Amino acid sequence: MGKFSFLTAIFLLVFGLSYAQTDHSGHDHSGHDHSGHDHSGHDHSGHDHGDHAKDQPATIKKKTNPNVNRTKRKQNNRAGNSHDHSGHDHGSHAGHDHAHGDHGHSGAHVNACGIAGEDPSVFNAGKVAFHHISDQNIYSIGPWHLPLPCIVKTSEGWDFFSSGNFKADYHGTSHYAYKGYVLYEGSLRRIVNPSFPKDKVELHHGDIAIKVEPHPSTGKPVDVVYVCYNNTAYKADNKSTADAGLFGGGITSFYDFSITKNVAGMFIVVFFLFFMMRSVAKAYKTREGKAPSGVQSLIEPIFVFIQDEVCKPFIGHQWEKFTPFLMSLFFFILGLNLFGQIPFFGGVNASGNLAVTAILALITFLVVTFNGNVNYWQHIFWMPGLPAWVKVIITPVEIVGNFILKPATLMLRLFGNITAGHIVIVIFIGLIFIFGKNGTNPGAAYGATIASMLLTLFMMALELLVAFIQAYVFTLLTASYIGAATEEHHAH
Amino acid sequence: MTGSLAAIGAGLAVIGAALGIGNIGGKAMEAISRQPEAVGDIRANMILTAALIEGAAVIAIILSFFAG
């Protein structure tokens, strides 16, 4: 902890200082430099299409109709699209320039298809936070991206390739399209349109941009990624999600079974735990009768604590049967929680991922359900010792409680606690950009850097505590559910 | 400003959970001061009960995320 806090403090200081120095010169489009360590507010900034709509309804109308853009843009020279602001030459964006002209930023970059993308002069803390806690198809350590294997199932079959093909920039947006896929903010997107080239094609900065459009079924405004290639805007599918777009993500044409950042992080944790536990287990044979040493003396007190304080009192006489399961749960969750807290090591947020916690809760649910004895089922469906009319009321309550609420709360508790901690840390770091007014107020940025450093250190210490408590609570609740399901009959 | 009603809902849920968990913590402290030898049992049950309450609060907050 001490070392990490120290590193964090140093990094935040360097980070804040370099930010304040580079950005008050009033330059815009820091997105053009690919130096790799400029994670300033511009890179992550959201956009506010609401403002655009107010300022220039004509532009929006034009934007929502790609055909109009396409024909208009085809007449224009695409040269220099990536680095000059040719998009601003067009009359339709004059109002946009004007709106941001007063603080030295010329607003969002407009690509050859007339899609403005994100406005780098707006810092959207919520969006930055959600981007940072989300899963990605690349494993980023600082400015370096380690490629990960992509495994994609579409209606045309399976696709296997490495995410290194995309040559992602520091922000996780690809420089190349490959097999009809692009990477946007670290996540894989598929272009359904068959006329998009299937081989590796180079894209320019700003060619992958988002547009706000109403969701096809709910009508809510959602971000849609467009890829501009040869002056034509191709719509890219949303991220592949297990919920099939139930939570507003949009239905996608592909299933992403890739080894993502979270999966890779889980593999690392599992291998680490496996070899650590194996060496500890060996030590009990080779050093039998001696005092524990090394890793053994780290693991033993934790193991004995869980065994004596969780397994024995909460499960009862069958505790030996379930101890291996509970220990695996505890150390796996603890490992993920702690691994996710190592700064600048990819930010693997596996235990703050709903899919991961859902599977953990499902495993617990299955273990409880398959080990439940007669009394357990009797207490759910026909609670003994109660008048019949109360039983009729109690039975649905018990069914909902045991089959829905218990797994759901297990899932959401772990997810919520870990995610909330990560979001708070990102927001605290975001304070630098909020107070620094995105580069225009370096003095406030310096002040906010110090405040943010202290708050982040406090939050990381708290998160360390939460990592242990949540792993403990998950194990404790699992033990108590198993205990309730395997309890022997008592006289009423 | 959007989603503010959902934020108020999340805040209300947290008030309820905070009252509940505060009550649990307070009572547990009282119980420990009465029976210091039972500190292990009391602590485990305190955390278990607090976790159950927290579950309700977390569900409310996450639902407000999706609603907002």
PDB file of all heavy atoms in Angstrom, chain A residues 34 43 118 131 136 138 140 145 166-176 182-187 203-210 225-227:
ATOM      1  N   HIS A  34       0.355  12.161 -30.457  1.00  0.00           N
ATOM      2  CA  HIS A  34       0.231  10.786 -30.010  1.00  0.00           C
ATOM      3  C   HIS A  34       1.374  10.451 -29.100  1.00  0.00           C
ATOM      4  O   HIS A  34       1.936   9.380 -29.144  1.00  0.00           O
ATOM      5  CB  HIS A  34       0.182   9.851 -31.219  1.00  0.00           C
ATOM      6  CG  HIS A  34      -1.031  10.120 -32.048  1.00  0.00           C
ATOM      7  ND1 HIS A  34      -1.078   9.954 -33.390  1.00  0.00           N
ATOM      8  CD2 HIS A  34      -2.239  10.574 -31.687  1.00  0.00           C
ATOM      9  CE1 HIS A  34      -2.269  10.290 -33.844  1.00  0.00           C
ATOM     10  NE2 HIS A  34      -2.986  10.669 -32.830  1.00  0.00           N
ATOM     11  N   ASP A  43      -8.697  14.359 -24.122  1.00  0.00           N
ATOM     12  CA  ASP A  43      -8.778  13.024 -24.693  1.00  0.00           C
ATOM     13  C   ASP A  43     -10.051  12.332 -24.267  1.00  0.00           C
ATOM     14  O   ASP A  43     -10.638  11.589 -25.008  1.00  0.00           O
ATOM     15  CB  ASP A  43      -7.595  12.181 -24.208  1.00  0.00           C
ATOM     16  CG  ASP A  43      -6.303  12.938 -24.378  1.00  0.00           C
ATOM     17  OD1 ASP A  43      -6.241  13.698 -25.335  1.00  0.00           O
ATOM     18  OD2 ASP A  43      -5.411  12.781 -23.551  1.00  0.00           O
ATOM     19  N   GLU A 118     -16.600  14.109 -30.781  1.00  0.00           N
ATOM     20  CA  GLU A 118     -16.648  14.673 -29.442  1.00  0.00           C
ATOM     21  C   GLU A 118     -15.994  16.042 -29.423  1.00  0.00           C
ATOM     22  O   GLU A 118     -14.995  16.271 -30.084  1.00  0.00           O
ATOM     23  CB  GLU A 118     -15.942  13.733 -28.482  1.00  0.00           C
ATOM     24  CG  GLU A 118     -16.533  12.347 -28.519  1.00  0.00           C
ATOM     25  CD  GLU A 118     -16.185  11.567 -27.279  1.00  0.00           C
ATOM     26  OE1 GLU A 118     -14.991  11.494 -26.984  1.00  0.00           O
ATOM     27  OE2 GLU A 118     -17.105  11.067 -26.631  1.00  0.00           O
ATOM     28  N   HIS A 131     -16.032   5.211 -18.986  1.00  0.00           N
ATOM     29  CA  HIS A 131     -15.071   4.674 -19.946  1.00  0.00           C
ATOM     30  C   HIS A 131     -13.951   3.947 -19.205  1.00  0.00           C
ATOM     31  O   HIS A 131     -13.500   2.888 -19.637  1.00  0.00           O
ATOM     32  CB  HIS A 131     -14.521   5.811 -20.797  1.00  0.00           C
ATOM     33  CG  HIS A 131     -13.291   5.456 -21.562  1.00  0.00           C
ATOM     34  ND1 HIS A 131     -13.279   4.440 -22.479  1.00  0.00           N
ATOM     35  CD2 HIS A 131     -12.043   5.954 -21.527  1.00  0.00           C
ATOM     36  CE1 HIS A 131     -12.064   4.347 -22.992  1.00  0.00           C
ATOM     37  NE2 HIS A 131     -11.291   5.244 -22.419  1.00  0.00           N
ATOM     38  N   GLN A 136     -12.237  -3.679 -21.957  1.00  0.00           N
ATOM     39  CA  GLN A 136     -11.678  -3.277 -23.240  1.00  0.00           C
ATOM     40  C   GLN A 136     -11.054  -4.461 -23.953  1.00  0.00           C
ATOM     41  O   GLN A 136     -10.748  -5.469 -23.348  1.00  0.00           O
ATOM     42  CB  GLN A 136     -10.605  -2.198 -23.027  1.00  0.00           C
ATOM     43  CG  GLN A 136     -11.175  -0.965 -22.384  1.00  0.00           C
ATOM     44  CD  GLN A 136     -10.217   0.187 -22.432  1.00  0.00           C
ATOM     45  OE1 GLN A 136      -9.024  -0.008 -22.366  1.00  0.00           O
ATOM     46  NE2 GLN A 136     -10.750   1.384 -22.542  1.00  0.00           N
ATOM     47  N   ILE A 138      -8.161  -4.210 -25.423  1.00  0.00           N
ATOM     48  CA  ILE A 138      -6.714  -4.045 -25.367  1.00  0.00           C
ATOM     49  C   ILE A 138      -6.332  -3.937 -23.907  1.00  0.00           C
ATOM     50  O   ILE A 138      -7.140  -3.531 -23.069  1.00  0.00           O
ATOM     51  CB  ILE A 138      -6.234  -2.768 -26.109  1.00  0.00           C
ATOM     52  CG1 ILE A 138      -7.201  -1.628 -25.834  1.00  0.00           C
ATOM     53  CG2 ILE A 138      -6.041  -3.024 -27.579  1.00  0.00           C
ATOM     54  CD1 ILE A 138      -6.761  -0.315 -26.375  1.00  0.00           C
ATOM     55  N   SER A 140      -4.040  -1.916 -21.622  1.00  0.00           N
ATOM     56  CA  SER A 140      -3.201  -0.728 -21.681  1.00  0.00           C
ATOM     57  C   SER A 140      -2.439  -0.549 -20.383  1.00  0.00           C
ATOM     58  O   SER A 140      -3.036  -0.520 -19.305  1.00  0.00           O
ATOM     59  CB  SER A 140      -4.047   0.516 -21.916  1.00  0.00           C
ATOM     60  OG  SER A 140      -5.121   0.224 -22.748  1.00  0.00           O
ATOM     61  N   HIS A 145      -0.081  -0.465 -25.426  1.00  0.00           N
ATOM     62  CA  HIS A 145      -1.232  -1.358 -25.531  1.00  0.00           C
ATOM     63  C   HIS A 145      -0.734  -2.760 -25.830  1.00  0.00           C
ATOM     64  O   HIS A 145      -0.075  -2.976 -26.831  1.00  0.00           O
ATOM     65  CB  HIS A 145      -2.146  -0.928 -26.674  1.00  0.00           C
ATOM     66  CG  HIS A 145      -2.781   0.390 -26.438  1.00  0.00           C
ATOM     67  ND1 HIS A 145      -3.483   0.668 -25.291  1.00  0.00           N
ATOM     68  CD2 HIS A 145      -2.822   1.508 -27.180  1.00  0.00           C
ATOM     69  CE1 HIS A 145      -3.926   1.897 -25.365  1.00  0.00           C
ATOM     70  NE2 HIS A 145      -3.541   2.437 -26.475  1.00  0.00           N
ATOM     71  N   PHE A 166      -5.239  -3.258 -34.959  1.00  0.00           N
ATOM     72  CA  PHE A 166      -5.913  -1.965 -35.037  1.00  0.00           C
ATOM     73  C   PHE A 166      -4.952  -0.809 -34.801  1.00  0.00           C
ATOM     74  O   PHE A 166      -5.278   0.320 -35.091  1.00  0.00           O
ATOM     75  CB  PHE A 166      -7.039  -1.893 -34.009  1.00  0.00           C
ATOM     76  CG  PHE A 166      -8.134  -2.875 -34.264  1.00  0.00           C
ATOM     77  CD1 PHE A 166      -8.440  -3.859 -33.348  1.00  0.00           C
ATOM     78  CD2 PHE A 166      -8.870  -2.804 -35.433  1.00  0.00           C
ATOM     79  CE1 PHE A 166      -9.457  -4.758 -33.586  1.00  0.00           C
ATOM     80  CE2 PHE A 166      -9.890  -3.697 -35.678  1.00  0.00           C
ATOM     81  CZ  PHE A 166     -10.181  -4.682 -34.745  1.00  0.00           C
ATOM     82  N   LYS A 167      -3.758  -1.082 -34.249  1.00  0.00           N
ATOM     83  CA  LYS A 167      -2.798  -0.026 -33.906  1.00  0.00           C
ATOM     84  C   LYS A 167      -3.505   1.116 -33.176  1.00  0.00           C
ATOM     85  O   LYS A 167      -3.505   2.260 -33.622  1.00  0.00           O
ATOM     86  CB  LYS A 167      -2.117   0.533 -35.165  1.00  0.00           C
ATOM     87  CG  LYS A 167      -1.305  -0.471 -35.950  1.00  0.00           C
ATOM     88  CD  LYS A 167       0.175  -0.351 -35.630  1.00  0.00           C
ATOM     89  CE  LYS A 167       1.025  -1.246 -36.495  1.00  0.00           C
ATOM     90  NZ  LYS A 167       0.585  -2.653 -36.549  1.00  0.00           N
ATOM     91  N   ALA A 168      -4.098   0.786 -32.049  1.00  0.00           N
ATOM     92  CA  ALA A 168      -4.914   1.758 -31.334  1.00  0.00           C
ATOM     93  C   ALA A 168      -4.066   2.918 -30.828  1.00  0.00           C
ATOM     94  O   ALA A 168      -2.900   2.744 -30.487  1.00  0.00           O
ATOM     95  CB  ALA A 168      -5.597   1.077 -30.157  1.00  0.00           C
ATOM     96  N   ASP A 169      -4.646   4.112 -30.803  1.00  0.00           N
ATOM     97  CA  ASP A 169      -3.944   5.258 -30.213  1.00  0.00           C
ATOM     98  C   ASP A 169      -4.077   5.177 -28.693  1.00  0.00           C
ATOM     99  O   ASP A 169      -4.694   4.252 -28.154  1.00  0.00           O
ATOM    100  CB  ASP A 169      -4.458   6.572 -30.791  1.00  0.00           C
ATOM    101  CG  ASP A 169      -5.913   6.833 -30.473  1.00  0.00           C
ATOM    102  OD1 ASP A 169      -6.482   6.087 -29.652  1.00  0.00           O
ATOM    103  OD2 ASP A 169      -6.490   7.759 -31.046  1.00  0.00           O
ATOM    104  N   TYR A 170      -3.513   6.150 -27.990  1.00  0.00           N
ATOM    105  CA  TYR A 170      -3.505   6.095 -26.522  1.00  0.00           C
ATOM    106  C   TYR A 170      -4.907   6.025 -25.949  1.00  0.00           C
ATOM    107  O   TYR A 170      -5.104   5.644 -24.817  1.00  0.00           O
ATOM    108  CB  TYR A 170      -2.775   7.327 -25.967  1.00  0.00           C
ATOM    109  CG  TYR A 170      -3.388   8.592 -26.469  1.00  0.00           C
ATOM    110  CD1 TYR A 170      -4.431   9.188 -25.800  1.00  0.00           C
ATOM    111  CD2 TYR A 170      -2.947   9.155 -27.660  1.00  0.00           C
ATOM    112  CE1 TYR A 170      -5.029  10.313 -26.307  1.00  0.00           C
ATOM    113  CE2 TYR A 170      -3.539  10.273 -28.169  1.00  0.00           C
ATOM    114  CZ  TYR A 170      -4.575  10.855 -27.485  1.00  0.00           C
ATOM    115  OH  TYR A 170      -5.183  11.942 -28.002  1.00  0.00           O
ATOM    116  N   HIS A 171      -5.883   6.431 -26.735  1.00  0.00           N
ATOM    117  CA  HIS A 171      -7.244   6.453 -26.219  1.00  0.00           C
ATOM    118  C   HIS A 171      -8.009   5.185 -26.566  1.00  0.00           C
ATOM    119  O   HIS A 171      -9.169   5.048 -26.231  1.00  0.00           O
ATOM    120  CB  HIS A 171      -7.962   7.678 -26.797  1.00  0.00           C
ATOM    121  CG  HIS A 171      -9.176   8.050 -26.018  1.00  0.00           C
ATOM    122  ND1 HIS A 171     -10.113   8.919 -26.471  1.00  0.00           N
ATOM    123  CD2 HIS A 171      -9.598   7.644 -24.817  1.00  0.00           C
ATOM    124  CE1 HIS A 171     -11.066   9.032 -25.584  1.00  0.00           C
ATOM    125  NE2 HIS A 171     -10.778   8.277 -24.561  1.00  0.00           N
ATOM    126  N   GLY A 172      -7.346   4.258 -27.258  1.00  0.00           N
ATOM    127  CA  GLY A 172      -7.989   2.999 -27.591  1.00  0.00           C
ATOM    128  C   GLY A 172      -8.814   3.046 -28.857  1.00  0.00           C
ATOM    129  O   GLY A 172      -9.612   2.161 -29.126  1.00  0.00           O
ATOM    130  N   THR A 173      -8.645   4.096 -29.668  1.00  0.00           N
ATOM    131  CA  THR A 173      -9.378   4.183 -30.920  1.00  0.00           C
ATOM    132  C   THR A 173      -8.440   3.787 -32.054  1.00  0.00           C
ATOM    133  O   THR A 173      -7.295   4.225 -32.094  1.00  0.00           O
ATOM    134  CB  THR A 173      -9.911   5.604 -31.122  1.00  0.00           C
ATOM    135  OG1 THR A 173     -10.767   5.897 -30.021  1.00  0.00           O
ATOM    136  CG2 THR A 173     -10.684   5.729 -32.403  1.00  0.00           C
ATOM    137  N   SER A 174      -8.919   2.942 -32.974  1.00  0.00           N
ATOM    138  CA  SER A 174      -7.995   2.307 -33.908  1.00  0.00           C
ATOM    139  C   SER A 174      -7.581   3.231 -35.044  1.00  0.00           C
ATOM    140  O   SER A 174      -8.320   4.124 -35.457  1.00  0.00           O
ATOM    141  CB  SER A 174      -8.609   1.029 -34.456  1.00  0.00           C
ATOM    142  OG  SER A 174      -9.804   1.302 -35.130  1.00  0.00           O
ATOM    143  N   HIS A 175      -6.362   2.981 -35.556  1.00  0.00           N
ATOM    144  CA  HIS A 175      -5.870   3.657 -36.748  1.00  0.00           C
ATOM    145  C   HIS A 175      -6.187   2.849 -37.998  1.00  0.00           C
ATOM    146  O   HIS A 175      -6.026   3.331 -39.107  1.00  0.00           O
ATOM    147  CB  HIS A 175      -4.356   3.839 -36.671  1.00  0.00           C
ATOM    148  CG  HIS A 175      -3.946   5.015 -35.854  1.00  0.00           C
ATOM    149  ND1 HIS A 175      -4.520   6.241 -35.999  1.00  0.00           N
ATOM    150  CD2 HIS A 175      -3.023   5.144 -34.872  1.00  0.00           C
ATOM    151  CE1 HIS A 175      -3.971   7.082 -35.149  1.00  0.00           C
ATOM    152  NE2 HIS A 175      -3.065   6.442 -34.446  1.00  0.00           N
ATOM    153  N   TYR A 176      -6.534   1.597 -37.800  1.00  0.00           N
ATOM    154  CA  TYR A 176      -6.821   0.724 -38.928  1.00  0.00           C
ATOM    155  C   TYR A 176      -8.157   0.031 -38.691  1.00  0.00           C
ATOM    156  O   TYR A 176      -8.529  -0.236 -37.546  1.00  0.00           O
ATOM    157  CB  TYR A 176      -5.742  -0.351 -39.080  1.00  0.00           C
ATOM    158  CG  TYR A 176      -4.413   0.197 -39.526  1.00  0.00           C
ATOM    159  CD1 TYR A 176      -3.486   0.621 -38.601  1.00  0.00           C
ATOM    160  CD2 TYR A 176      -4.114   0.290 -40.880  1.00  0.00           C
ATOM    161  CE1 TYR A 176      -2.268   1.142 -39.006  1.00  0.00           C
ATOM    162  CE2 TYR A 176      -2.904   0.803 -41.302  1.00  0.00           C
ATOM    163  CZ  TYR A 176      -1.981   1.222 -40.363  1.00  0.00           C
ATOM    164  OH  TYR A 176      -0.795   1.737 -40.771  1.00  0.00           O
ATOM    165  N   VAL A 182     -13.599  -2.189 -36.102  1.00  0.00           N
ATOM    166  CA  VAL A 182     -12.748  -1.108 -35.616  1.00  0.00           C
ATOM    167  C   VAL A 182     -12.761  -1.152 -34.088  1.00  0.00           C
ATOM    168  O   VAL A 182     -13.595  -1.825 -33.470  1.00  0.00           O
ATOM    169  CB  VAL A 182     -13.224   0.292 -36.078  1.00  0.00           C
ATOM    170  CG1 VAL A 182     -13.017   0.474 -37.553  1.00  0.00           C
ATOM    171  CG2 VAL A 182     -14.653   0.534 -35.671  1.00  0.00           C
ATOM    172  N   LEU A 183     -11.828  -0.424 -33.509  1.00  0.00           N
ATOM    173  CA  LEU A 183     -11.765  -0.321 -32.060  1.00  0.00           C
ATOM    174  C   LEU A 183     -12.159   1.107 -31.714  1.00  0.00           C
ATOM    175  O   LEU A 183     -11.587   2.063 -32.252  1.00  0.00           O
ATOM    176  CB  LEU A 183     -10.326  -0.592 -31.621  1.00  0.00           C
ATOM    177  CG  LEU A 183     -10.071  -1.309 -30.315  1.00  0.00           C
ATOM    178  CD1 LEU A 183     -10.804  -2.628 -30.294  1.00  0.00           C
ATOM    179  CD2 LEU A 183      -8.587  -1.530 -30.152  1.00  0.00           C
ATOM    180  N   TYR A 184     -13.174   1.272 -30.890  1.00  0.00           N
ATOM    181  CA  TYR A 184     -13.513   2.624 -30.457  1.00  0.00           C
ATOM    182  C   TYR A 184     -13.457   2.664 -28.932  1.00  0.00           C
ATOM    183  O   TYR A 184     -14.164   1.904 -28.269  1.00  0.00           O
ATOM    184  CB  TYR A 184     -14.906   3.031 -30.951  1.00  0.00           C
ATOM    185  CG  TYR A 184     -15.303   4.402 -30.493  1.00  0.00           C
ATOM    186  CD1 TYR A 184     -14.710   5.527 -31.044  1.00  0.00           C
ATOM    187  CD2 TYR A 184     -16.228   4.570 -29.471  1.00  0.00           C
ATOM    188  CE1 TYR A 184     -15.042   6.787 -30.603  1.00  0.00           C
ATOM    189  CE2 TYR A 184     -16.569   5.826 -29.030  1.00  0.00           C
ATOM    190  CZ  TYR A 184     -15.976   6.935 -29.602  1.00  0.00           C
ATOM    191  OH  TYR A 184     -16.300   8.184 -29.144  1.00  0.00           O
ATOM    192  N   GLU A 185     -12.612   3.518 -28.387  1.00  0.00           N
ATOM    193  CA  GLU A 185     -12.386   3.625 -26.946  1.00  0.00           C
ATOM    194  C   GLU A 185     -12.122   2.258 -26.334  1.00  0.00           C
ATOM    195  O   GLU A 185     -12.651   1.901 -25.285  1.00  0.00           O
ATOM    196  CB  GLU A 185     -13.553   4.326 -26.260  1.00  0.00           C
ATOM    197  CG  GLU A 185     -13.657   5.775 -26.711  1.00  0.00           C
ATOM    198  CD  GLU A 185     -14.531   6.624 -25.828  1.00  0.00           C
ATOM    199  OE1 GLU A 185     -15.388   6.062 -25.130  1.00  0.00           O
ATOM    200  OE2 GLU A 185     -14.337   7.845 -25.832  1.00  0.00           O
ATOM    201  N   GLY A 186     -11.314   1.480 -27.022  1.00  0.00           N
ATOM    202  CA  GLY A 186     -10.883   0.208 -26.470  1.00  0.00           C
ATOM    203  C   GLY A 186     -11.815  -0.958 -26.733  1.00  0.00           C
ATOM    204  O   GLY A 186     -11.457  -2.087 -26.466  1.00  0.00           O
ATOM    205  N   SER A 187     -13.025  -0.686 -27.240  1.00  0.00           N
ATOM    206  CA  SER A 187     -13.932  -1.807 -27.418  1.00  0.00           C
ATOM    207  C   SER A 187     -14.226  -2.050 -28.896  1.00  0.00           C
ATOM    208  O   SER A 187     -14.257  -1.132 -29.700  1.00  0.00           O
ATOM    209  CB  SER A 187     -15.231  -1.585 -26.641  1.00  0.00           C
ATOM    210  OG  SER A 187     -15.834  -0.412 -27.074  1.00  0.00           O
ATOM    211  N   LEU A 203      -7.216   4.396 -41.320  1.00  0.00           N
ATOM    212  CA  LEU A 203      -8.175   5.461 -41.052  1.00  0.00           C
ATOM    213  C   LEU A 203      -7.410   6.667 -40.535  1.00  0.00           C
ATOM    214  O   LEU A 203      -6.283   6.547 -40.057  1.00  0.00           O
ATOM    215  CB  LEU A 203      -9.190   5.008 -40.001  1.00  0.00           C
ATOM    216  CG  LEU A 203     -10.026   3.793 -40.359  1.00  0.00           C
ATOM    217  CD1 LEU A 203     -10.772   3.299 -39.146  1.00  0.00           C
ATOM    218  CD2 LEU A 203     -10.997   4.126 -41.468  1.00  0.00           C
ATOM    219  N   HIS A 204      -8.023   7.819 -40.635  1.00  0.00           N
ATOM    220  CA  HIS A 204      -7.365   9.029 -40.152  1.00  0.00           C
ATOM    221  C   HIS A 204      -7.961   9.450 -38.832  1.00  0.00           C
ATOM    222  O   HIS A 204      -9.037   8.995 -38.458  1.00  0.00           O
ATOM    223  CB  HIS A 204      -7.524  10.151 -41.191  1.00  0.00           C
ATOM    224  CG  HIS A 204      -6.846   9.829 -42.471  1.00  0.00           C
ATOM    225  ND1 HIS A 204      -5.536  10.112 -42.713  1.00  0.00           N
ATOM    226  CD2 HIS A 204      -7.301   9.181 -43.576  1.00  0.00           C
ATOM    227  CE1 HIS A 204      -5.212   9.686 -43.907  1.00  0.00           C
ATOM    228  NE2 HIS A 204      -6.270   9.115 -44.459  1.00  0.00           N
ATOM    229  N   HIS A 205      -7.271  10.336 -38.182  1.00  0.00           N
ATOM    230  CA  HIS A 205      -7.767  10.806 -36.900  1.00  0.00           C
ATOM    231  C   HIS A 205      -9.142  11.450 -37.086  1.00  0.00           C
ATOM    232  O   HIS A 205      -9.333  12.262 -37.980  1.00  0.00           O
ATOM    233  CB  HIS A 205      -6.812  11.820 -36.291  1.00  0.00           C
ATOM    234  CG  HIS A 205      -7.354  12.405 -35.042  1.00  0.00           C
ATOM    235  ND1 HIS A 205      -7.325  11.726 -33.851  1.00  0.00           N
ATOM    236  CD2 HIS A 205      -7.994  13.564 -34.811  1.00  0.00           C
ATOM    237  CE1 HIS A 205      -7.909  12.463 -32.935  1.00  0.00           C
ATOM    238  NE2 HIS A 205      -8.320  13.583 -33.477  1.00  0.00           N
ATOM    239  N   GLY A 206     -10.072  11.094 -36.252  1.00  0.00           N
ATOM    240  CA  GLY A 206     -11.402  11.678 -36.336  1.00  0.00           C
ATOM    241  C   GLY A 206     -12.323  10.933 -37.277  1.00  0.00           C
ATOM    242  O   GLY A 206     -13.498  11.270 -37.387  1.00  0.00           O
ATOM    243  N   ASP A 207     -11.797   9.926 -37.982  1.00  0.00           N
ATOM    244  CA  ASP A 207     -12.664   9.172 -38.885  1.00  0.00           C
ATOM    245  C   ASP A 207     -13.642   8.291 -38.119  1.00  0.00           C
ATOM    246  O   ASP A 207     -14.693   7.931 -38.633  1.00  0.00           O
ATOM    247  CB  ASP A 207     -11.826   8.299 -39.820  1.00  0.00           C
ATOM    248  CG  ASP A 207     -11.320   9.087 -41.016  1.00  0.00           C
ATOM    249  OD1 ASP A 207     -11.683  10.271 -41.114  1.00  0.00           O
ATOM    250  OD2 ASP A 207     -10.579   8.522 -41.831  1.00  0.00           O
ATOM    251  N   ILE A 208     -13.258   7.901 -36.910  1.00  0.00           N
ATOM    252  CA  ILE A 208     -14.197   7.150 -36.079  1.00  0.00           C
ATOM    253  C   ILE A 208     -14.772   8.151 -35.087  1.00  0.00           C
ATOM    254  O   ILE A 208     -14.072   8.651 -34.212  1.00  0.00           O
ATOM    255  CB  ILE A 208     -13.487   6.004 -35.343  1.00  0.00           C
ATOM    256  CG1 ILE A 208     -12.807   5.084 -36.360  1.00  0.00           C
ATOM    257  CG2 ILE A 208     -14.468   5.229 -34.499  1.00  0.00           C
ATOM    258  CD1 ILE A 208     -11.978   4.012 -35.721  1.00  0.00           C
ATOM    259  N   ALA A 209     -16.035   8.484 -35.274  1.00  0.00           N
ATOM    260  CA  ALA A 209     -16.626   9.521 -34.420  1.00  0.00           C
ATOM    261  C   ALA A 209     -18.031   9.101 -34.032  1.00  0.00           C
ATOM    262  O   ALA A 209     -18.638   8.244 -34.680  1.00  0.00           O
ATOM    263  CB  ALA A 209     -16.658  10.846 -35.162  1.00  0.00           C
ATOM    264  N   ILE A 210     -18.521   9.698 -32.964  1.00  0.00           N
ATOM    265  CA  ILE A 210     -19.856   9.314 -32.529  1.00  0.00           C
ATOM    266  C   ILE A 210     -20.864  10.414 -32.842  1.00  0.00           C
ATOM    267  O   ILE A 210     -20.544  11.590 -32.936  1.00  0.00           O
ATOM    268  CB  ILE A 210     -19.910   8.965 -31.027  1.00  0.00           C
ATOM    269  CG1 ILE A 210     -19.466  10.143 -30.183  1.00  0.00           C
ATOM    270  CG2 ILE A 210     -19.116   7.744 -30.726  1.00  0.00           C
ATOM    271  CD1 ILE A 210     -19.774   9.939 -28.733  1.00  0.00           C
ATOM    272  N   VAL A 225     -21.547   4.975 -33.124  1.00  0.00           N
ATOM    273  CA  VAL A 225     -20.223   5.171 -33.708  1.00  0.00           C
ATOM    274  C   VAL A 225     -20.325   5.084 -35.226  1.00  0.00           C
ATOM    275  O   VAL A 225     -20.930   4.156 -35.770  1.00  0.00           O
ATOM    276  CB  VAL A 225     -19.246   4.105 -33.178  1.00  0.00           C
ATOM    277  CG1 VAL A 225     -17.892   4.236 -33.857  1.00  0.00           C
ATOM    278  CG2 VAL A 225     -19.090   4.221 -31.688  1.00  0.00           C
ATOM    279  N   TYR A 226     -19.758   6.076 -35.904  1.00  0.00           N
ATOM    280  CA  TYR A 226     -19.699   6.060 -37.364  1.00  0.00           C
ATOM    281  C   TYR A 226     -18.250   6.026 -37.798  1.00  0.00           C
ATOM    282  O   TYR A 226     -17.401   6.711 -37.224  1.00  0.00           O
ATOM    283  CB  TYR A 226     -20.372   7.302 -37.947  1.00  0.00           C
ATOM    284  CG  TYR A 226     -21.865   7.134 -38.061  1.00  0.00           C
ATOM    285  CD1 TYR A 226     -22.705   7.544 -37.044  1.00  0.00           C
ATOM    286  CD2 TYR A 226     -22.411   6.551 -39.194  1.00  0.00           C
ATOM    287  CE1 TYR A 226     -24.072   7.362 -37.130  1.00  0.00           C
ATOM    288  CE2 TYR A 226     -23.777   6.373 -39.304  1.00  0.00           C
ATOM    289  CZ  TYR A 226     -24.604   6.777 -38.278  1.00  0.00           C
ATOM    290  OH  TYR A 226     -25.953   6.595 -38.384  1.00  0.00           O
ATOM    291  N   VAL A 227     -17.967   5.204 -38.801  1.00  0.00           N
ATOM    292  CA  VAL A 227     -16.622   5.152 -39.359  1.00  0.00           C
ATOM    293  C   VAL A 227     -16.671   5.796 -40.729  1.00  0.00           C
ATOM    294  O   VAL A 227     -17.470   5.420 -41.584  1.00  0.00           O
ATOM    295  CB  VAL A 227     -16.131   3.700 -39.479  1.00  0.00           C
ATOM    296  CG1 VAL A 227     -14.727   3.673 -40.045  1.00  0.00           C
ATOM    297  CG2 VAL A 227     -16.169   3.026 -38.140  1.00  0.00           C
TER     298      VAL A 227
END
